[in-house]
Amino acid sequence: MKRNTYLTLLTPDEARILWFERLHAHSHTLAEENVALPDALHRVLSRAVEAQRSSPAFHGAAMDGIAVSAEDTFSASARNPLRLELGKKAHWINTGHPLPQGLNAVIMMENLNTETVGETQWAIIEKATFPWQHVRKLGEDMVATEIILPPGTCIGPYDLGALAAGGVLEVPVFVRPRVSIVPSGSEIVPLSEAREEDLRAGRVLPEFNSLIFSAMITEAGGDATVLPVVPDEPTAIAAAITNALDAGADMIILNAGSSAGSHDYTAHVLESLGEVLVHGISVMPGKPTVLAVVRGRPVIGVPGYPVSAGIAMEEFVLHLLALWQKRSVSERRKVLAVPYNPLPSRPGMEERLRVKLGLVGGSIVAVPLPRGAGTITSLSRADGIICIPRDSEGCDAGEPVTVELLRPETALAGALLAIGSHDNTLDMLDSLLRKTYPGFRLTSAHVGSLGGLMALRRGQCHLAGSHLLDAEDGVYNRKAIEENLEEPTVLLRLVDREQGILTAPGNPLYINGIEDLARQDVRFINRQRGSGTRVLLDYRLASLGISSTGIKGYRDEEYTHMNVAAAVLSGRADAGLAVRAAANALGLPFVPVGMEEYDLVIPRRFLAMEAMQALLDVIRSESFRKTVESMGGYGTEKTGQIIWEYAGR
Amino acid sequence: MKRNTYLTLLTPDEARILWFERLHAHSHTLAEENVALPDALHRVLSRAVEAQRSSPAFHGAAMDGIAVSAEDTFSASARNPLRLELGKKAHWINTGHPLPQGLNAVIMMENLNTETVGETQWAIIEKATFPWQHVRKLGEDMVATEIILPPGTCIGPYDLGALAAGGVLEVPVFVRPRVSIVPSGSEIVPLSEAREEDLRAGRVLPEFNSLIFSAMITEAGGDATVLPVVPDEPTAIAAAITNALDAGADMIILNAGSSAGSHDYTAHVLESLGEVLVHGISVMPGKPTVLAVVRGRPVIGVPGYPVSAGIAMEEFVLHLLALWQKRSVSERRKVLAVPYNPLPSRPGMEERLRVKLGLVGGSIVAVPLPRGAGTITSLSRADGIICIPRDSEGCDAGEPVTVELLRPETALAGALLAIGSHDNTLDMLDSLLRKTYPGFRLTSAHVGSLGGLMALRRGQCHLAGSHLLDAEDGVYNRKAIEENLEEPTVLLRLVDREQGILTAPGNPLYINGIEDLARQDVRFINRQRGSGTRVLLDYRLASLGISSTGIKGYRDEEYTHMNVAAAVLSGRADAGLAVRAAANALGLPFVPVGMEEYDLVIPRRFLAMEAMQALLDVIRSESFRKTVESMGGYGTEKTGQIIWEYAGR
């Protein structure tokens, strides 16, 4: 039995509190500087700013008209109009200008007449005014010495206006905290210096975490410096930290290389230089985070994998930068969502799971993105994060869970959620939709055709891509819809597409058809159960009388055409079944197997949605057609046509 | 009867649609440029970006351990451990590194033992592995040619990482739309060039709208240029527009001066140069907005008052910038709030009313800020905006209304709402609270002591500042609390403070006490009914046997001490009653009338709130005490003490 070290790990909150206390982070005082207003946008006030002058600085007209003494007009009425001589008891005045001495009201241009008799102009007033009517009084907006903005304010456009109105032309702000980033790892090279062939061969590993960290620090008001990559040697790492501290860094981020033992290096080096408070936190991804204090300054060992690194940055670095600047960390909005599938999780560790989201029929559906800590696209594609608590074994499908939103709710409201079969044209369709109708988007999750119909049946998506061949009559999708769906639904042709066998470059094994897949020298890569491509394969195998047990690799599954192509390109398999577009994309030979229908299955009730109308409009556009055709392997003859209507049952 | 032009005005939505259609804004194509990743943060992608390489680019180890062929391990078990020779059938491998050719699994370091016999090292494996275990397969994250990010993406930190992982080192982004800002008005001078004495005298009007506009445009991804101030002459304005268009401006903002007829100039000039589509919109503030098209480009006449200008900027300029960049405008989150007081509104015009917000006992309370279009502090102080629809005459107090949030909800959750009497120490307390406990804040609205107790009774605030003198026994606050509140409440001393008469500089009328206020040559400025200062005045007048009708200006009211001081400083009145700190702030003579108690009234149920505990902690701090004392006119002997507990009834 191995000891379960996770139970001894601190939670992110516990770890943060411990680290912050040792750092005296709450009483830490950043240096201040004065900046002129035009340079102050998004800087953070270090102290309260008081008005230097009152605003308005004088009693001024709030309207265009004439300035009068209200008391002079008390007798005015429509029956008995009052005449005041202009230039004497009444004075033309423009909005914003100061009232002449002794006057206290303005009569609007629209409410008076004038008359010229000889050299003299008269204002004719039919209604009394009252003191201070249409006057902006001195100090009405702010009085000199009043506080305009409190400390910790991140200055926005309107704040600039309020400061200017109060006669404040420069403001005291916190000097941006200096954060030094030390990437480490012996095979790591800065991204810009890596040669493409070395990257592809894995001879060097590109360093791009520092790009992410720098951007996060910039957004948090800090000043990031990326130091040169340090090899995985304790003395080199120690020297880099010491130099950064000598150079005045307020905080140091040590980004672990991916080499064996590099985490231990981090902790050992930090122990030798200062104090390690936390070595590992109870959250996945993010566990191998190290929190230390060296010479009174915070040093954090951030894990190498980007998803782990992101969590360490958010939980510790961004919190500390906010606290130093006396700002509250803006927490993400939380909503309830229903997971599309069960989310098992290991008890003892909190898990953060990134998801795509769709607002379907009033409830929010969450579709998990791949969990790997190295899956950087899960960071850029995520709409939200589900936190599965430490004491939980996960969530069941359909059981509502809390999701932190990563995008504004309006983006969510404008998104159509497609769950089902994968085709590259869906991504392209999303891009065209966004370009044509900003505000709408197509979010798609790839679970295979049958999975899409199941999601539709549960009301979890707006549409599903499907290419399910019925083995009996050779017709696509209709029988599967009849068997699985209950509500009225339309079947819309997205594209016809060519399926075929992808082989290694040059097709060295001379694979020329489905029957060759059963050869003992051919390693096949399959698609997952429930995918239309798998159904197609089984259909063809059955019609040729070939047993799936005779196919080497039949149980080795991938989830998308592109991943099948990648498996073949990498030599992991000799052949796979996929669309021609995937073969074209990676330059692989393609042995045609046949054309198939790739349709969108759309419940009738979603057709009236504005976003769906926009999507249909884009599908039927010339520009979609042309782009699809340019990808090769697609037919667009019936693209956009409703080819069948299902009445439901 | 004047024609009501408002009914013929377009709503902001109607006006925007009309303008955008004439501009062909939906199909407008901004120029593109390529930028390197380190410069791409917050830029907006002009087209979909595809992966240039797969990620991972090879089958790589997901763990530190040994790489093997899974098939070789199938016989391994604890009873019958398998021995593989290292360097031959098993190879040490570090996370992220490529698997040697032909191998397809990694056994974690933790799950194996090694043995060295002579020169040969053996891995001892007690458990079979399966193909691709602990391997990140080529293309697992993304496959070359797949779309990484769609067009219209505003690039964030994680997007940079995804792009880098996909081998994309520079990205196509929209060139920032160039927006030229033309301030106009004959007396307008750039803020930086205005002399203080000219500003105070109103001889020049400072121009700072362009500072606000530039910042808004920067935030929206545009590139703002502020042109020199143009005098109010049609030819000068026309020349400025023509020159800006010649210089390549994508959009022009003409900011009306405040002079008479300047709006008409704007419309006339634009009509002579191109087409005016909209002249006035049915929203207050914001009505005098002008939307035009000149030489195919958008030109907008933005009103001069900052609150109106802000609405025109948000409704038209920011929407257009977003549309051009294929982004959706991020709408503000809406919540229901209960207005503290009735909000009457003129039918026929939509009204946008800025409010402060507090989350009190589970519901959100909205306290309106001053409505004036020139009240720039209403922009910087607002927590939210209430839109009163065009067909409504307003809302009743207590009737829930929709509020657009201007701050994150977490800021709202951390705010204590004080409604009641005004004292400068409250603003100072807020600043100290934020510095000491970022995340908490004190929001205060000034409605007088009695108004505060009313708000407490209705459960609309967390605390109230109060200094209500009981005329019978001369005791502060207790009787008022007993009369007005039902729930258990504590009375906490904030400060003792000195009230007195403020007079014009030099006290030219020799005002030496309350009795002088009844003199016929003295113009008084009063505080509003229900304020503690008004109660104090009435108490003193009564004890001297002076009737309020004998006080000239008794009915001329202001809402804060500072506004009373400003009224006296400006010569609007000769005397007013206020705290010494207000006199000190503006350098006015002060005739002491007496010390009074300024207390905080806090329902017992709110004492346990974390934010309230933080507030009490700050009130009792040395630093609060010192700052208060430095303001002058305050006593702090009992500051922070609970001086009375009310059991409720």
Side-chain angles (χ1 to χ4, degrees):
Chain A
M1 281 279 290
K2 285 188 195 295
R3 191 168 64 93
N4 185 346
T5 55
Y6 301 142
L7 293 176
T8 67
L9 297 178
L10 298 182
T11 66
D13 285 350
E14 291 165 348
R16 195 171 51 242
I17 289 167
L18 186 67
W19 197 41
F20 282 10
E21 276 181 2
R22 195 63 57 99
L23 287 166
H24 307 289
H26 281 84
S27 55
H28 185 84
T29 315
L30 290 176
E32 296 171 272
E33 60 183 328
N34 285 319
V35 296
L37 281 199
D39 304 320
L41 184 66
H42 301 161
R43 297 299 299 268
V44 180
L45 286 182
S46 54
R47 50 185 69 212
V49 177
E50 295 171 359
Q52 298 299 303
R53 81 166 79 93
S54 300
S55 174
F58 45 79
H59 302 314
M63 294 282 179
D64 296 341
I66 58 167
V68 296
S69 172
E71 291 76 5
D72 289 344
T73 72
F74 284 170
S75 69
S77 70
R79 285 204 167 184
N80 194 13
L82 176 75
R83 295 161 64 93
L84 291 180
E85 188 177 343
L86 277 159
K88 299 226 161 130
K89 292 218 145 189
H91 297 260
W92 286 115
I93 194 163
N94 293 336
T95 306
H97 285 226
L99 296 191
Q101 189 68 31
L103 304 190
N104 64 1
V106 171
I107 298 175
M108 286 167 69
M109 200 93 91
E110 294 90 315
N111 292 342
L112 61 92
N113 291 306
T114 56
E115 197 181 81
T116 307
V117 180
E119 302 270 290
T120 314
Q121 224 192 353
W122 298 85
I124 300 169
I125 301 162
E126 299 194 343
K127 198 176 161 209
T129 183
F130 52 84
W132 312 109
Q133 188 177 29
H134 301 317
V135 173
R136 295 191 66 224
K137 288 176 284 189
L138 185 153
E140 185 175 286
D141 198 0
M142 62 183 105
V143 178
T145 75
E146 278 185 320
I147 290 176
I148 305 175
L149 292 168
T153 301
C154 180
I155 299 173
Y158 292 137
D159 297 325
L160 292 173
L163 291 164
V168 178
L169 298 186
E170 61 172 40
V171 285
V173 298
F174 290 119
V175 170
R176 295 184 201 279
R178 280 156 301 176
V179 183
S180 292
I181 301 166
V182 182
S184 77
S186 300
E187 295 82 2
I188 300 283
V189 297
L191 185 63
S192 53
E193 295 172 16
R195 291 193 313 163
E196 196 54 44
E197 57 271 33
D198 291 337
L199 288 172
R200 283 188 209 274
R203 283 191 291 269
V204 298
L205 302 175
E207 197 289 298
F208 52 76
N209 278 350
S210 58
L211 192 64
I212 305 176
F213 300 169
S214 299
M216 292 175 91
I217 290 162
T218 300
E219 285 187 340
D223 176 13
T225 307
V226 181
L227 299 174
V229 176
V230 172
D232 266 337
E233 290 157 20
T235 49
I237 295 173
I241 294 172
T242 306
N243 291 341
L245 289 174
D246 289 345
D250 293 301
M251 188 189 326
I252 296 176
I253 295 173
L254 193 52
N255 192 211
S258 55
S259 307
S262 59
H263 303 316
D264 296 334
Y265 281 180
T266 302
H268 286 156
V269 170
L270 292 175
E271 259 160 18
S272 74
L273 296 174
E275 184 183 9
V276 171
L277 293 158
V278 173
H279 188 177
I281 50 172
S282 65
V283 67
M284 293 274 279
K287 177 173 161 269
T289 301
V290 178
L291 301 179
V293 178
V294 178
R295 286 160 47 183
R297 312 254 180 85
V299 182
I300 174 170
V302 166
Y305 275 132
V307 187
S308 306
I311 288 176
M313 288 294 295
E314 292 177 11
E315 287 289 339
F316 304 107
V317 174
L318 300 192
H319 271 263
L320 188 53
L321 290 175
L323 185 62
W324 279 351
Q325 296 171 87
K326 310 299 179 197
R327 300 170 62 182
S328 56
V329 175
S330 66
E331 281 177 35
R332 298 174 182 134
R333 184 160 156 65
K334 289 173 182 163
V335 296
L336 279 184
V338 176
Y340 158 77
N341 47 1
L343 307 172
S345 180
R346 178 162 52 164
M349 291 293 273
E350 177 186 326
E351 191 169 4
R352 308 258 172 111
L353 187 56
R354 285 169 199 262
V355 293
K356 289 194 169 198
L357 297 173
L359 178 63
V360 186
S363 70
I364 299 174
V365 178
V367 187
L369 286 158
R371 294 193 187 198
T375 310
I376 195 161
T377 52
S378 74
L379 293 170
S380 58
R381 289 182 184 157
D383 299 318
I385 299 178
I386 292 178
C387 294
I388 304 175
R390 203 178 181 180
D391 55 3
S392 162
E393 293 187 12
C395 335
D396 294 333
E399 172 192 327
V401 292
T402 302
V403 178
E404 293 179 8
L405 292 184
L406 297 172
R407 306 192 195 277
E409 275 172 288
T410 42
L412 192 57
L416 292 170
L417 180 61
I419 298 182
S421 166
H422 172 252
D423 189 86
N424 286 351
T425 54
L426 290 178
D427 297 330
M428 203 266 291
L429 185 55
D430 174 45
S431 287
L432 265 180
L433 177 64
R434 290 171 187 245
K435 273 195 110 143
T436 322
Y437 296 95
F440 294 137
R441 55 180 66 195
L442 177 66
T443 298
S444 56
H446 311 136
V447 302
S449 296
L450 198 60
L453 295 184
M454 298 295 110
L456 276 179
R457 182 164 70 187
R458 294 191 298 258
Q460 292 181 327
C461 59
H462 296 109
L463 69 164
S466 182
H467 58 120
L468 284 168
L469 176 64
D470 178 47
E472 282 174 25
D473 59 11
V475 171
Y476 277 87
N477 294 321
R478 301 185 191 193
K479 188 173 277 179
I481 289 172
E482 284 173 342
E483 280 171 3
N484 291 293
L485 300 187
E486 299 189 347
E487 68 176 312
T489 298
V490 302
L491 193 62
L492 181 118
R493 179 65 47 82
L494 187 65
V495 287
D496 297 298
R497 61 182 196 179
E498 202 174 6
Q499 288 265 21
I501 299 168
L502 279 53
T503 75
N507 194 358
L509 298 181
Y510 301 102
I511 297 163
N512 292 310
I514 295 285
E515 56 281 6
D516 289 333
L517 301 181
R519 280 162 39 190
Q520 274 312 296
D521 61 335
V522 172
R523 292 165 305 141
F524 184 67
I525 172 76
N526 207 351
R527 286 291 305 282
Q528 86 280 15
R529 199 182 296 262
S531 67
T533 303
R534 173 90 161 235
V535 172
L536 175 66
L537 174 73
D538 292 346
Y539 176 74
R540 291 298 178 106
L541 289 176
S543 61
L544 292 167
I546 300 172
S547 159
S548 64
T549 54
I551 312 268
K552 204 170 162 184
Y554 183 85
R555 297 174 68 170
D556 194 2
E557 296 177 352
E558 280 295 350
Y559 273 76
T560 68
H561 297 274
M562 291 303 277
N563 284 120
V564 165
V568 173
L569 179 67
S570 69
R572 184 179 138 206
D574 303 309
L577 194 59
V579 294
R580 186 189 282 272
N584 289 356
L586 297 194
L588 295 177
F590 181 80
V591 180
V593 166
M595 291 301 281
E596 67 169 11
E597 301 178 7
Y598 183 86
D599 298 324
L600 299 181
V601 186
I602 311 170
R604 181 161 280 290
R605 65 184 158 127
F606 295 135
L607 282 182
M609 290 174 67
E610 261 186 87
M612 190 67 83
Q613 287 299 315
L615 187 78
L616 296 187
D617 184 47
V618 172
I619 291 173
R620 291 165 180 159
S621 70
E622 195 52 31
S623 118
F624 178 68
R625 211 176 277 251
K626 279 196 180 149
T627 318
V628 167
E629 282 165 5
S630 73
M631 293 166 80
Y634 288 105
T636 58
E637 201 194 342
K638 293 191 171 175
T639 289
Q641 291 183 21
I642 290 181
I643 54 163
W644 186 59
E645 302 207 27
Y646 170 57
R649 58 175 145 95
Chain B
M1 280 277 291
K2 286 188 195 294
R3 194 168 62 93
N4 187 345
T5 56
Y6 301 143
L7 293 175
T8 67
L9 297 177
L10 298 181
T11 67
D13 285 350
E14 291 165 348
R16 194 170 52 241
I17 289 168
L18 185 67
W19 197 42
F20 283 11
E21 276 182 2
R22 195 63 56 100
L23 287 166
H24 306 292
H26 280 84
S27 55
H28 185 82
T29 315
L30 290 175
E32 296 172 272
E33 62 183 327
N34 285 318
V35 297
L37 282 198
D39 305 319
L41 184 66
H42 300 163
R43 297 300 297 268
V44 180
L45 286 182
S46 54
R47 49 185 69 213
V49 177
E50 296 172 356
Q52 297 299 303
R53 80 166 81 90
S54 301
S55 175
F58 45 80
H59 303 313
M63 294 282 180
D64 296 340
I66 59 166
V68 296
S69 174
E71 290 76 5
D72 289 345
T73 71
F74 286 171
S75 69
S77 69
R79 285 207 164 181
N80 193 12
L82 175 76
R83 295 161 64 92
L84 291 180
E85 188 177 341
L86 276 158
K88 298 224 161 130
K89 292 218 146 191
H91 298 261
W92 286 116
I93 194 163
N94 293 336
T95 305
H97 285 226
L99 296 189
Q101 189 67 31
L103 304 189
N104 64 0
V106 170
I107 297 175
M108 287 166 69
M109 202 91 94
E110 293 90 315
N111 292 343
L112 59 92
N113 290 307
T114 56
E115 196 180 82
T116 307
V117 181
E119 302 271 289
T120 313
Q121 223 193 354
W122 298 86
I124 300 167
I125 300 161
E126 298 193 344
K127 197 175 159 213
T129 181
F130 52 84
W132 312 108
Q133 190 176 30
H134 301 317
V135 174
R136 294 190 66 222
K137 288 176 285 190
L138 184 151
E140 185 175 287
D141 199 359
M142 63 184 105
V143 178
T145 75
E146 278 185 321
I147 290 176
I148 305 175
L149 292 169
T153 302
C154 180
I155 299 173
Y158 292 137
D159 297 325
L160 292 173
L163 291 164
V168 178
L169 298 186
E170 60 172 38
V171 285
V173 297
F174 289 118
V175 170
R176 296 185 202 279
R178 282 157 299 175
V179 183
S180 293
I181 300 167
V182 182
S184 77
S186 300
E187 295 81 3
I188 300 283
V189 297
L191 185 62
S192 53
E193 294 171 18
R195 289 194 315 164
E196 195 55 44
E197 56 272 34
D198 291 336
L199 288 173
R200 282 190 210 274
R203 282 190 291 271
V204 299
L205 302 174
E207 198 290 298
F208 51 77
N209 278 349
S210 59
L211 192 64
I212 306 176
F213 300 168
S214 298
M216 293 175 91
I217 291 162
T218 301
E219 284 187 341
D223 177 13
T225 307
V226 181
L227 298 175
V229 176
V230 172
D232 266 338
E233 290 156 20
T235 50
I237 295 173
I241 293 172
T242 306
N243 292 340
L245 289 175
D246 289 345
D250 292 302
M251 189 190 324
I252 296 176
I253 295 173
L254 192 53
N255 193 210
S258 55
S259 307
S262 60
H263 302 317
D264 295 334
Y265 281 0
T266 302
H268 286 156
V269 170
L270 292 176
E271 260 161 18
S272 74
L273 295 174
E275 184 184 7
V276 171
L277 293 157
V278 174
H279 189 176
I281 50 171
S282 64
V283 67
M284 292 275 280
K287 175 172 162 271
T289 301
V290 177
L291 302 179
V293 179
V294 178
R295 285 161 46 184
R297 311 251 181 87
V299 182
I300 174 170
V302 166
Y305 274 135
V307 187
S308 306
I311 287 177
M313 288 294 294
E314 291 178 11
E315 287 291 337
F316 303 108
V317 175
L318 300 191
H319 270 263
L320 187 54
L321 290 175
L323 185 62
W324 278 352
Q325 296 170 87
K326 310 298 179 197
R327 299 169 62 182
S328 56
V329 175
S330 65
E331 281 175 34
R332 297 172 182 137
R333 188 163 151 63
K334 290 175 182 159
V335 296
L336 279 183
V338 176
Y340 158 77
N341 47 359
L343 307 172
S345 180
R346 176 162 54 162
M349 292 293 274
E350 178 186 325
E351 192 169 4
R352 308 260 171 108
L353 188 56
R354 286 172 197 261
V355 294
K356 289 194 170 200
L357 297 172
L359 178 63
V360 185
S363 70
I364 299 174
V365 179
V367 188
L369 287 158
R371 295 193 187 196
T375 311
I376 196 160
T377 52
S378 75
L379 292 171
S380 59
R381 288 181 185 159
D383 298 320
I385 299 178
I386 292 178
C387 294
I388 305 176
R390 203 178 181 183
D391 55 3
S392 163
E393 294 188 11
C395 336
D396 293 334
E399 171 194 329
V401 291
T402 302
V403 179
E404 293 180 8
L405 292 183
L406 298 172
R407 308 194 193 275
E409 275 172 289
T410 42
L412 192 57
L416 292 170
L417 180 60
I419 298 182
S421 165
H422 174 253
D423 190 86
N424 286 351
T425 54
L426 290 178
D427 296 332
M428 205 265 291
L429 185 55
D430 174 44
S431 287
L432 265 179
L433 177 64
R434 290 172 189 245
K435 272 195 110 144
T436 322
Y437 295 95
F440 294 138
R441 55 180 65 194
L442 177 65
T443 298
S444 55
H446 312 136
V447 302
S449 295
L450 197 59
L453 295 184
M454 297 296 110
L456 275 179
R457 181 164 70 186
R458 294 191 297 258
Q460 292 182 326
C461 61
H462 296 110
L463 69 163
S466 185
H467 58 120
L468 284 169
L469 176 65
D470 178 47
E472 283 175 22
D473 59 9
V475 170
Y476 277 86
N477 293 321
R478 299 184 195 195
K479 187 171 281 179
I481 289 172
E482 283 172 341
E483 280 170 5
N484 291 291
L485 300 187
E486 298 190 344
E487 68 177 312
T489 299
V490 303
L491 193 62
L492 181 119
R493 178 68 44 85
L494 187 65
V495 288
D496 298 298
R497 61 181 196 180
E498 201 173 4
Q499 289 264 22
I501 299 168
L502 280 54
T503 75
N507 194 358
L509 297 182
Y510 302 101
I511 297 162
N512 291 313
I514 294 286
E515 56 281 7
D516 289 332
L517 300 181
R519 275 164 41 195
Q520 274 310 297
D521 61 336
V522 172
R523 290 165 306 143
F524 184 65
I525 172 77
N526 206 351
R527 286 291 305 282
Q528 86 279 16
R529 199 183 295 265
S531 67
T533 303
R534 172 91 162 235
V535 172
L536 175 64
L537 174 75
D538 292 345
Y539 176 73
R540 292 297 177 105
L541 289 177
S543 62
L544 291 169
I546 299 173
S547 159
S548 64
T549 53
I551 312 269
K552 204 171 163 187
Y554 183 85
R555 297 174 69 169
D556 193 4
E557 297 178 353
E558 281 293 350
Y559 273 77
T560 68
H561 297 274
M562 290 303 277
N563 284 120
V564 165
V568 173
L569 180 66
S570 70
R572 186 178 136 206
D574 302 308
L577 195 59
V579 294
R580 186 189 281 272
N584 287 356
L586 297 194
L588 295 177
F590 181 81
V591 181
V593 166
M595 292 301 281
E596 67 169 9
E597 302 179 8
Y598 183 87
D599 298 325
L600 298 182
V601 185
I602 311 171
R604 179 161 281 289
R605 65 185 158 126
F606 295 135
L607 281 181
M609 289 174 69
E610 262 186 86
M612 190 67 83
Q613 287 299 315
L615 186 79
L616 297 186
D617 185 47
V618 172
I619 291 172
R620 289 163 182 162
S621 70
E622 197 51 30
S623 120
F624 178 69
R625 211 176 277 252
K626 280 196 181 148
T627 317
V628 167
E629 282 164 5
S630 73
M631 293 166 80
Y634 288 105
T636 58
E637 201 193 342
K638 292 189 170 176
T639 288
Q641 290 182 23
I642 289 179
I643 54 164
W644 186 58
E645 303 207 27
Y646 170 57
R649 58 177 145 96

